[in-house]
């Protein structure tokens, strides 16, 4: 039972989109119509008649917009009924065309006798009668009526021919049948003339009674009910396919002379001439970006990774970027060739934004693979191949775009974004390589934390220098070259987001690291006897401890692990008590590491003694029945904390 219901629901969703697309097509065509030029070409006997003609043309233009918007916003059941009425009218028109052709054929044949006496006349009559009966039955079925005779006016010429009337009378009966059908249609339209007004009035009354938050909820409900993103995407795809077909049929040598890429960009620019088509392209770009990001997630982590949706990785950023850039640069007001080149730059920026989102997806995965003890070669190959793609493709894009445009401030911004993308991937690959070297070595690298910090620092400094060079070039071009408000605003925005915020982030990271080092150096180092009595792993990395520091709350950790933890939060990972540096009795800063000495009067209040530290560590350490975690628990904890370790590395 669920299968048919699900199928009906999907068919209803398809119909909800497909039946609304013609309304947007009509709106798009009306927007492209140059009514003012058309009215200027009108000719009339006098000025009064010319004014009336223009008045009628403009009213038809506005009524077309109004009717299209009304049909677009109608509920699905009303749209279906409207299309059934239109289809019935088309069937009636086809019936009258068949009847007219039959009458013309009879007049042309010149035979006025009984039809059963002539085989040719009888065959023509049977064919026309069968077609008319089928059309009348279909009209009654579509209108949900059992009165088939209401839709059988086009059968009157056939009945007249059956009575062997003259050709003149047959033509008169055919004209009467057409007029009769027209009267029936007019009566139907007059009887339903005020239905749109009643619907609009009822909707207006409901909107008047709604409050602001209810009005917003109504807007969201209409957005979902009309399926606006899917609707405009389908509309744009139809336009794009029609445009491609027109180019393909116009000239066979067009593709060979211009190239496939230029043909694609020209077709896209032709489908961005109106606000409706631009909005459709926005949603198409959003869906394409979402598909690429989901494909990246699926390639790296399988189907389970696709289910974990991130709000920032929904493709909305790419679509909004395209829409804002198109509106800001006046894309709709340009000619086709200018719009093609500008659209290529905008699409380049959108692709760069998509690659940045792919890096945000790939970074934690590849770092988690390096930080964990995973031996799955296929996972490493997938992560490395994605990183290599993100490393090479931005450079290829920058090389291609530099071949088409002369170097200026705008092109430098595009090239710098590609450089920043490649720099981020390079830093990620270096950190991954360090993790893999540590995995191959027998002993862990003691200074790995310092090396990783240096790699991140160099990567961020290079990113800062690239952004600073872009700002300097833009400032120099504005002062000594062509100055514009647009360029100045871009320089200010670029200076704030890519220079000031990067410098602020780097300085904050440096302060956090210095504060963490200060806290680590103030903690006492555990002796070999303490480590032997403690007999446990580090609670952060779950590895054996050959050296450790002891917090004031009595917990043992690797110094580097605790330092990376303190970058994130300033509390103990076990009991969440604050980890603060100890102050020497003379107030000259923290005590040197490894002394473990405290002022005599503060030993009980500030830190426990060595014995109490050891006892507290033994009491709060969670060993199993044998005093050590099992192998399965080690494996599970190692898997759970691989992502934590990767995130801690990135936060440096």
């Amino acid at each position: 039972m669920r299968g048919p219901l699900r199928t009906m629901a999907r068919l209803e969703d398809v119909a909800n989109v497909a039946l609304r697309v013609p309304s947007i097509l009509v709106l798009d065509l009306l927007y492209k119509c140059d009514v003012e030029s058309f009215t200027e070409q009108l000719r009339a006997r006098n000025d009064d008649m010319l004014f009336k003609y223009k008045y009628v043309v403009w009213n038809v233009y506005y009524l077309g917009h109004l009717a299209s918007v009304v049909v677009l916003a109608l509920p699905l059941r009303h749209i279906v009924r409207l299309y059934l009425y239109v289809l019935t009218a088309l069937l009636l028109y086809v019936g009258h065309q068949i009847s007219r052709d039959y009458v013309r054929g009879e007049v042309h044949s010149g035979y006025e006798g009984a039809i059963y006496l002539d085989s040719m006349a009888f065959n023509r009559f049977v064919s026309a009668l069968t077609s008319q009966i089928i059309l009348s039955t279909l009209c009654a079925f579509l209108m949900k009526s059992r009165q088939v005779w209401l839709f059988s006016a086009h059968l009157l010429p056939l009945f007249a021919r059956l009575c062997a009337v003259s050709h003149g009378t047959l033509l008169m009966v055919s004209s009467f049948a057409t007029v009769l059908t027209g009267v029936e249609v007019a009566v139907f339209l007059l009887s339903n003339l005020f239905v749109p007004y009643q619907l609009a009035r009822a909707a207006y009354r409901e909107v008047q009674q709604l409050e602001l938050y209810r009005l917003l909820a109504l807007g969201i409900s209409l957005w979902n009910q009309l399926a606006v993103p899917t609707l405009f995407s389908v509309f744009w795809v139809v336009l794009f396919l029609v445009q491609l077909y027109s180019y393909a049929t116009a000239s066979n040598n067009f593709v060979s002379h211009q190239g496939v890429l230029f043909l694609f960009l020209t077709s896209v620019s032709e489908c961005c001439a109106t606000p409706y088509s631009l909005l459709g392209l926005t949603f198409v770009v959003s869906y394409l970006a979402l598909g690429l990001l989901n494909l990246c997630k699926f390639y790296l982590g399988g189907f389970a990774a696709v289910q974990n949706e991130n709000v920032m990785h929904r493709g909305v950023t790419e679509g909004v970027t395209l829409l804002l850039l198109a509106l800001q640069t006046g894309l709709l007001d340009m000619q086709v060739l200018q719009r093609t080149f500008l659209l290529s730059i905008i699409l380049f920026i959108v692709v760069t934004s998509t690659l940045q989102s792919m890096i945000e997806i790939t970074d934690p995965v590849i770092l988690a693979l390096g930080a964990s003890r995973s031996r799955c070669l296929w996972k490493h190959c997938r992560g490395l191949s994605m990183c290599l793609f993100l490393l090479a493709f931005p450079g290829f894009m920058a090389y291609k775009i530099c071949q088409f445009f002369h170097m200026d401030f705008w092109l430098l911004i595009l090239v710098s974004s590609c450089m920043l993308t490649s720099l981020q991937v390079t830093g990620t690959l270096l950190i991954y390589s360090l993790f893999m070297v540590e995995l191959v070595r027998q002993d862990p690298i003691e200074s790995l934390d310092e090396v990783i910090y240096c790699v991140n620092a160099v990567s961020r400094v290079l990113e800062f220098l690239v952004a600073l060079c872009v700002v300097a070039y833009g400032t120099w071009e504005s002062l000594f070259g062509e100055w514009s408000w647009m360029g100045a605003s871009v320089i200010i925005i670029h200076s704030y987001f890519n220079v000031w915020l990067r410098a602020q982030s780097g300085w904050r990271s440096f302060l956090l690291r210095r504060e963490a080092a200060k806290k680590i150096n103030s903690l006492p180092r555990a002796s070999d006897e303490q480590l032997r009595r403690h007999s446990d792993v580090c609670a952060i990395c779950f590895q054996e401890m050959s050296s450790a520091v002891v917090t004031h709350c009595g917990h043992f950790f690797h110094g580097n692990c605790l330092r990376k933890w303190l970058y994130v939060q300033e509390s103990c990972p076990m009991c969440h008590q604050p980890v603060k540096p100890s102050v020497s009795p003379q107030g000259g800063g923290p005590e040197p590491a490894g002394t473990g000495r405290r002022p005599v009067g503060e030993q009980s209040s500030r830190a426990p003694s060595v014995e109490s530290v050891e006892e507290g560590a033994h009491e709060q350490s969670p060993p199993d029945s044998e005093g050590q975690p099992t192998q399965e628990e080690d494996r599970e904890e190692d898997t759970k904390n691989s992502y934590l370790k990767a995130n801690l590395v990135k936060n440096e």
Side-chain angles (χ1 to χ4, degrees), residues 176-190:
F176 175 74
T178 304
V179 172
L180 182 60
T181 303
V183 170
E184 291 179 354
V185 173
V187 170
F188 176 80
L189 292 176
L190 289 175

Side-chain angles (χ1 to χ4, degrees), residues 468-619:
L468 190 62
C469 290
V470 172
V471 171
Y473 183 84
T475 305
W476 180 82
E477 191 179 53
S478 298
L479 293 177
F480 301 99
E482 184 179 357
W483 188 89
S484 62
W485 284 106
M486 180 68 67
S489 61
V490 170
I491 291 174
I492 293 174
I493 295 173
H494 195 76
S495 300
Y496 176 74
F497 285 99
N498 292 331
V499 177
W500 171 251
L501 291 184
R502 288 180 185 274
Q504 197 175 30
S505 176
W507 181 250
R508 188 184 302 113
S509 176
F510 171 75
L511 293 179
L512 287 174
R513 184 175 182 82
R514 189 179 66 175
E515 184 67 21
K518 181 180 179 181
K519 293 176 182 178
I520 294 299
N521 291 332
S522 68
L523 297 176
R525 301 286 179 176
S527 63
D528 295 337
E529 179 64 22
Q530 292 175 337
L531 291 174
R532 185 184 62 79
R533 294 178 58 184
H534 180 64
S535 184
D536 202 354
V537 296
C538 175
I540 298 177
C541 66
F542 296 95
Q543 301 295 324
E544 296 291 338
M545 291 187 294
S546 59
S547 63
V549 295
V550 187
T551 61
H552 298 165
C553 50
H555 296 113
F556 290 67
F557 304 100
H558 286 137
N560 291 332
C561 295
L562 185 59
R563 178 185 299 174
K564 289 184 284 187
W565 177 272
L566 293 177
Y567 296 160
V568 182
Q569 51 182 317
E570 300 178 355
S571 60
C572 174
M574 297 293 291
C575 61
H576 303 291
Q577 293 186 15
V579 178
K580 298 180 179 179
S582 302
V583 181
S584 62
Q586 290 80 13
E591 293 184 1
T595 59
R597 293 179 295 176
R598 296 286 185 272
V600 177
E602 298 179 358
Q603 184 172 358
S604 60
S605 59
R606 288 194 177 185
S609 62
V610 175
E611 290 77 7
S612 61
V613 166
E614 296 174 4
E615 293 176 359
H618 282 293
E619 290 176 358

Side-chain angles (χ1 to χ4, degrees), residues 299-301 358-374 376-388 390 424-436 642-643 645-647 649-650:
Y299 180 72
L300 293 173
M358 294 173 68
I359 290 175
E360 294 175 0
I361 295 172
T362 308
D363 271 355
V365 175
I366 192 69
L367 290 178
L369 287 174
S372 65
R373 295 182 177 273
S374 176
C376 182
L377 185 61
W378 175 236
K379 291 183 179 180
H380 288 271
C381 290
R382 286 184 298 181
L384 287 175
S385 60
M386 182 59 68
C387 287
L388 292 177
L390 295 175
Q424 292 178 5
V425 179
T426 304
T428 302
L429 287 175
L430 287 175
I431 296 175
Y432 169 80
S433 301
L434 291 173
F435 281 145
M436 298 308 296
S642 60
Y643 283 94
K645 185 176 180 181
N647 291 329
V649 169
K650 291 301 292 181

